[in-house]
Amino acid sequence: MKTLLIVYHTQSGNTEKLAGAAYRGACEADEVETRLVRAYDASLQDLLTCQALLIGS
């Protein structure tokens, strides 16, 4: 199974809404595990173990 990591930073909440929409859409894909993580909470291990990365800022 492939892993998509969506990492975002938001101040006003708009990027969080966009990241959430991307997450919901990605969750519909078969054989893809999708993770949604705030930039502050993302770890090096998260980055090393994902096969795809979407960054929102």
Side-chain angles (χ1 to χ4, degrees):
M1 181 173 284
K2 304 287 185 183
T3 301
L4 167 62
L5 178 63
I6 301 173
V7 178
Y8 70 95
H9 173 74
T10 187
Q11 290 181 339
S12 66
N14 290 326
T15 304
E16 183 175 19
K17 291 176 188 176
L18 180 64
Y23 174 79
R24 289 187 299 278
C27 285
E28 294 180 14
D30 294 334
E31 300 184 23
V32 176
E33 177 187 349
T34 306
R35 298 194 55 232
L36 179 63
V37 181
R38 293 181 75 99
Y40 182 80
D41 298 324
S43 69
L44 178 58
Q45 191 64 31
D46 290 329
L47 295 172
L48 292 174
T49 57
C50 71
Q51 284 73 44
L53 175 64
L54 189 146
I55 300 173
S57 63

